[in-house]
Amino acid sequence: QTSPIEPALIKTSLVITEQKGDDPAALKFQPAPDFDLVPLHRDLRNFFKSSGRPLPGPFNLTVKTDSRQYVASNRENIAAPIAMMLDAALTGRPLRRNTHLFAHLNADGSLGRPAKAWEILLHLLQTKAPPATRLIVGPGLDEELNALLVIQQSGFFVDFEVIAAPTFEAARQLFYEDGKPADDLATAIAGYQEVREKALIANSLATFLNLTAVENRLAKAR
């Protein structure tokens, strides 16, 4: 989310380069943000150090957010995605396509609700999501997700497979192509996917969701 005017999903990349000379390694954004990046860089390094996988150094980290500036009002929302990209660079594991992570990354590895949670969800309502798009969120978004049903936006849960992950480690298993969620979660994902695929081709989503067989499948997946 990168615009002071309206939210936007921006393809973001991470470039890692060796720091040469006497200056310390740094975190940089292109375009440059309107806030100090030193605390975010420190928090990322401390998170990996405390998790037993310290970042090698000295390397500069450059986050490219296309032509959109990441602004201070988004606070630390970008920390969790940066950490996931760094983790992928360290492990060499392939990230799953069409996967988004919206969560606040805590120092102990737990995840929480992101800043501007409702604004993010409202923007995603207007986003054309490719099939099999997964949205990983931190805990604590029950109120906002239920509100989508209240305003009759159940189609959101057809466009996005929404999974709450309590920790960064749990999110890793959902974000990597070769991830292995716990058996019970994997069963729930498979069951929900069956309903989702049929919902995508239903003539009337409301009618489809009111079918007893569909309600039973959703209850079992839950």
Side-chain angles (χ1 to χ4, degrees):
Q1 191 179 21
T2 54
S3 169
I5 301 173
E6 61 179 7
L9 285 179
I10 298 298
K11 183 178 290 187
T12 302
S13 60
L14 174 66
V15 179
I16 303 174
T17 55
E18 184 177 3
Q19 169 62 30
K20 297 180 180 180
D22 298 329
D23 293 334
L27 172 65
K28 305 174 183 178
F29 277 39
Q30 292 181 357
D34 57 355
F35 62 95
D36 183 10
L37 289 170
V38 171
L40 176 58
H41 190 209
R42 181 189 62 237
D43 291 346
L44 285 168
R45 296 192 69 88
N46 288 340
F47 165 70
F48 279 94
K49 184 177 180 180
S50 64
S51 66
R53 295 170 293 158
L55 295 177
F59 288 92
N60 291 322
L61 308 176
T62 302
V63 178
K64 297 184 178 181
T65 56
D66 200 22
S67 60
R68 304 290 291 272
Q69 183 192 49
Y70 189 85
V71 295
S73 59
N74 294 315
R75 303 208 289 270
E76 303 88 355
N77 280 356
I78 202 169
I82 291 177
M84 194 65 68
M85 289 190 286
L86 281 170
D87 191 81
L90 290 172
T91 61
R93 296 172 66 186
L95 293 173
R96 184 181 184 276
R97 294 175 61 85
N98 301 322
T99 304
H100 307 294
L101 173 60
F102 288 126
H104 174 81
L105 177 63
N106 297 309
D108 62 357
S110 63
L111 298 179
R113 55 180 290 121
K116 295 187 173 181
W118 182 241
E119 290 91 335
I120 290 172
L121 293 178
L122 289 179
H123 174 68
L124 290 177
L125 277 175
Q126 310 302 320
T127 301
K128 181 62 176 177
T133 296
R134 175 174 291 173
L135 177 63
I136 307 169
V137 300
L141 266 70
D142 294 30
E143 182 177 347
E144 286 85 356
L145 294 173
N146 283 326
L148 292 176
L149 298 177
V150 172
I151 63 175
Q152 299 183 352
Q153 295 293 338
S154 55
F156 181 86
F157 299 96
V158 177
D159 294 335
F160 295 92
E161 177 191 41
V162 185
I163 306 178
T167 65
F168 184 80
E169 180 61 32
R172 289 174 83 227
Q173 302 308 319
L174 296 166
F175 211 124
Y176 281 121
E177 192 66 48
D178 61 354
K180 295 181 179 179
D183 290 344
D184 55 349
L185 179 56
T187 300
I189 289 173
Y192 189 75
Q193 185 61 28
E194 292 179 4
V195 175
R196 197 174 169 206
E197 289 174 353
K198 292 181 173 61
L200 286 170
I201 59 176
N203 292 327
S204 169
L205 180 59
T207 301
F208 175 77
L209 293 176
N210 281 326
L211 295 175
T212 300
V214 174
E215 290 181 349
N216 291 339
R217 282 180 174 269
L218 289 175
K220 183 178 181 180
R222 182 186 63 185

